[in-house]
Amino acid sequence: MSTINVNSIAPESGSTITIGGSGDKVTLGGGGLGIVGVSTFTSSGTWTKATRESALGVTIKRVIVEVQGGGGSGSDGNATSARHTHGGAGGYAKKLIDVSSISSATITVGSGGAGVTSYPSNGGGDSSWADGTNTVTGGGAGAAGTANNVGGLGGTASGGDLNIDGRNGGGYAMYSGTDSMFGFGGTWSARQTGDANTGSDEPTGYGSGSSGLYGNGTTRNGRPGIVIVWEIAG
């Protein structure tokens, strides 16, 4: 076996350089390959390194994990109460993880809080990455309360290099559910007794909260969370 150590190769114009023969494996230095793939989980499951390496044709050394908890729903004060408060946003965590000795991770994606016809509302579920060594969690938002101006608490975040707690939901004087790191909460509009329309738009961002409702109807669901795994080779 022959070895040639060089810093650079600069062929003359018109010349050809052949490196390696048929069947040879040639490894070129110069650093890592960077991000080579992404796995997005909108429902709970398992991230398996060998499966992803086979699909991508590379060796995965590290991952960047983003974990967003589920958002809460708003409450319905109906026509006799002003207790139409809004759902909070789930927590968000982000972490760089060396997976050289990690074969798989359990992924949990938190649900959004279900809409209600009264109060209190429902909180969102926790989202997480758990590989036996690292646990990264974006907590689900809490339920909107039973009193005026008591919106749902934002979810907490833990285990990441970056941990951002979700914002709290607003009180009845506010006009929308709470935005998350991934987008907007639902907007609010007043409805009178007997109106069948829910009176609010769906929240759009993963982990965002829905708005409360003044008037008969059912508030929108909070948005579920999401887990995103950025896969890095080299």
Side-chain angles (χ1 to χ4, degrees):
M1 172 178 157
S2 300
T3 301
I4 301 175
N5 296 315
V6 296
N7 292 324
S8 64
I9 299 175
E12 293 293 331
S13 177
S15 63
T16 300
I17 294 178
T18 301
I19 302 176
S22 176
D24 291 344
K25 180 179 179 180
V26 178
T27 301
L28 301 178
L33 298 176
I35 295 174
V36 293
V38 58
S39 296
T40 301
F41 292 84
T42 55
S43 60
S44 299
T46 302
W47 181 84
T48 304
K49 183 170 69 169
T51 300
R52 294 297 295 154
E53 288 178 334
S54 177
L56 296 169
V58 297
T59 299
I60 299 172
K61 297 294 184 66
R62 286 169 289 275
V63 296
I64 297 172
V65 178
E66 294 186 85
V67 181
Q68 172 67 58
S73 64
S75 65
D76 182 359
N78 54 65
T80 61
S81 171
R83 291 174 176 163
H84 47 285
T85 53
H86 309 293
Y92 170 86
K94 184 175 184 178
K95 186 174 180 64
L96 174 65
I97 299 173
D98 187 329
V99 293
S100 298
S101 59
I102 292 171
S103 60
S104 64
T106 299
I107 306 295
T108 302
V109 175
S111 60
V116 296
T117 58
S118 184
Y119 50 83
S121 70
N122 291 299
D126 295 348
S127 297
S128 64
W129 158 289
D131 58 35
T133 301
N134 305 279
T135 301
V136 184
T137 303
T146 60
N148 295 347
N149 286 318
V150 182
L153 293 176
T156 59
S158 63
D161 299 317
L162 174 66
N163 300 299
I164 301 176
D165 292 346
R167 290 183 61 196
N168 298 337
Y172 74 93
M174 305 299 290
Y175 295 97
S176 68
T178 306
D179 299 344
S180 72
M181 293 292 291
F182 285 88
F184 301 111
T187 56
W188 172 87
S189 63
R191 294 288 172 180
Q192 302 303 314
T193 301
D195 285 349
N197 194 300
T198 60
S200 59
D201 294 327
E202 294 277 7
T204 60
Y206 290 104
S208 60
S210 76
S211 70
L213 171 65
Y214 181 76
N216 290 347
T218 303
T219 62
R220 303 286 191 178
N221 297 337
R223 282 282 281 162
I226 190 171
V227 176
I228 303 173
V229 183
W230 300 89
E231 297 139 348
I232 302 171

